Amino acid sequence: MKDSSPKKLAFVTAGLVTFTYTVITMLADILLYAFVPWYVYIGGVAFMFVVSYLIIHRTLNVFIYDKIRLIYKTIHDLKSPSGKKKIQSGNSSDIIRQANEDVVEWASDKRKEIEELRKMEVYRREFLGNVSHELKTPIFNIQGFVLTLLDGGLDDPAINRSYLMRTEQSINRMISIIEDLETISRLESGEMMLNYSHFDMIEMVKEVIELLEMEANEKKISIYFGRIYDVPVMVYADRKKIQQVVTNLMVNAIKYGKENGRIKVSCFDMDEHILTEVTDSGIGIPREELPRVFERFYRGEKSRSRNGGGGSGLGLAIVKHIIEAHQQTINVRSTPDIGSTFAFTLKKGVSPS
Ligand code: ADP
């Protein structure tokens, strides 16, 4: 029966019961030659109809509610404790439709949850795979150096010192991978709180340049500002985190820079924001790699071919997380063999008066 409600079902079934009752009573009257006055007859039929309608309607309701209550119980037990909908024992014609809608909604919620869990599972698997892959190289290197030293290399002045130094380099690499991993996991778990303050971007960039001077000098790379900044360029952000952003961008600019290259840092006033650009004259990034450089563990062709000497592939992922935590944006432009420009925005700050 289409669009059947408990009321309709009860009505039709009561009609059938009453019809059967009437036929049987009529037959009995005829067979027994009994004479029953017409009003008793009509009264009996009406009584039969009303009573059977009430009984059937009640039974159906109890049956449906029992079944649906069970479904609701299952949904609500699985749903959040604040399960917003409650079964209402009043309007029985709506109850099945309401239950149907709720079950569909519940099923779609569950489907979304399952998709989310699947994505997380893939991410976890990839993450573990990437971490072990990144750590494998320095560990195997250390193992190789130590074994060579134990096998007599320790007494060989031609290699003992250099192997120990290379062991130290591999250990440093492991430490930096682990530090990056810690940073990214803190950023991704949302644990990292931003400590906002007003500070001068130029002063902070100068500090980073000083720290990286040695590495830049090794490649004879000169670092300079796009113009003379004689007044502070104030931004409102977490100073330490932004220092990490600038450091990671500069480290990359040196790492992927060419000998005798240049790195230029510029700040632009953009009304409510300050745009900072780090431009290098390095190897550049192929167009097809550009959309992926901010992915965690992504390493470009050139970085991977550095035989373990490259980074962990986490530097730019950390940069992006920090900038996005400030609700700002970062982007990159690059031309292979010419160089790259990483540009990010920050909220403008005010100078202490
Ligand atoms: P990595 O540890 O490999 O440097 P990053 O997340 O810092 O990881 O960078 C991801 C990739 O982006 C690098 O492997 C490299 O291919 C590319 N890249 C980043 N910065 C630069 C740059 N300044 N010049 C050229 N390529 C870069």
Side-chain angles (χ1 to χ4, degrees), residues 5 12-13 49 85 119 154 158 168 190 195 201 226 248 255 285 330 351:
S5 69
V12 173
T13 320
F49 181 80
K85 282 178 187 160
K119 263 194 231 155
L154 209 55
E168 202 221 348
N195 196 0
M201 199 64 188
N248 287 11
K255 196 159 63 175
I285 305 166
I330 176 153
S351 306

Side-chain angles (χ1 to χ4, degrees), residues 166-316:
R166 285 199 229 167
T167 303
E168 202 221 348
Q169 274 172 9
S170 291
I171 291 171
N172 285 342
R173 182 155 155 66
M174 276 174 63
I175 291 172
S176 99
I177 292 171
I178 286 163
E179 276 172 0
D180 279 357
L181 282 170
E182 268 177 3
T183 310
I184 204 124
S185 78
R186 256 182 288 146
L187 283 167
E188 291 192 351
S189 64
E191 261 176 51
M192 196 162 291
M193 299 293 285
L194 294 179
N195 196 0
Y196 277 93
S197 68
H198 296 268
F199 65 91
D200 178 10
M201 199 64 188
I202 303 300
E203 188 190 287
M204 193 268 279
V205 172
K206 278 183 187 160
E207 286 171 23
V208 177
I209 295 175
E210 263 171 44
L211 286 172
L212 298 176
E213 211 168 15
M214 250 170 56
E215 285 169 50
N217 285 344
E218 268 173 37
K219 280 180 111 171
K220 299 191 186 67
I221 291 176
S222 59
I223 308 177
Y224 63 100
F225 282 102
R227 67 172 176 85
I228 297 165
Y229 292 96
D230 39 18
V231 283
V233 177
M234 298 302 290
V235 292
Y236 182 61
D238 184 319
R239 195 181 196 280
K240 243 176 110 180
K241 306 266 169 2
I242 298 304
Q243 182 153 5
Q244 173 150 32
V245 167
V246 176
T247 308
N248 287 11
L249 293 180
M250 298 268 236
V251 165
N252 280 352
I254 299 170
K255 196 159 63 175
Y256 303 107
K258 293 181 193 154
E259 292 268 328
N260 299 310
R262 285 169 298 135
I263 299 172
K264 181 174 80 177
V265 183
S266 311
C267 291
F268 301 96
D269 191 328
M270 294 177 58
D271 240 13
E272 288 177 14
H273 295 100
I274 296 290
L275 175 80
T276 305
E277 285 193 348
V278 178
T279 303
D280 64 61
S281 59
I283 58 173
I285 305 166
R287 181 190 277 268
E288 64 279 9
E289 285 185 11
L290 275 180
R292 302 202 56 196
V293 290
F294 293 106
E295 283 175 22
R296 60 181 100 70
F297 294 111
Y298 181 78
R299 290 169 68 190
E301 196 58 46
K302 297 240 168 62
S303 173
R304 265 176 277 144
S305 59
R306 281 164 164 247
N307 236 344
S312 59
L314 290 171
L316 288 182

Side-chain angles (χ1 to χ4, degrees), residues 36-55:
V36 181
W38 64 271
Y39 49 87
V40 176
Y41 220 79
I42 300 280
V45 169
F47 179 76
M48 190 66 196
F49 181 80
V50 171
V51 169
S52 51
Y53 173 82
L54 290 174
I55 293 173

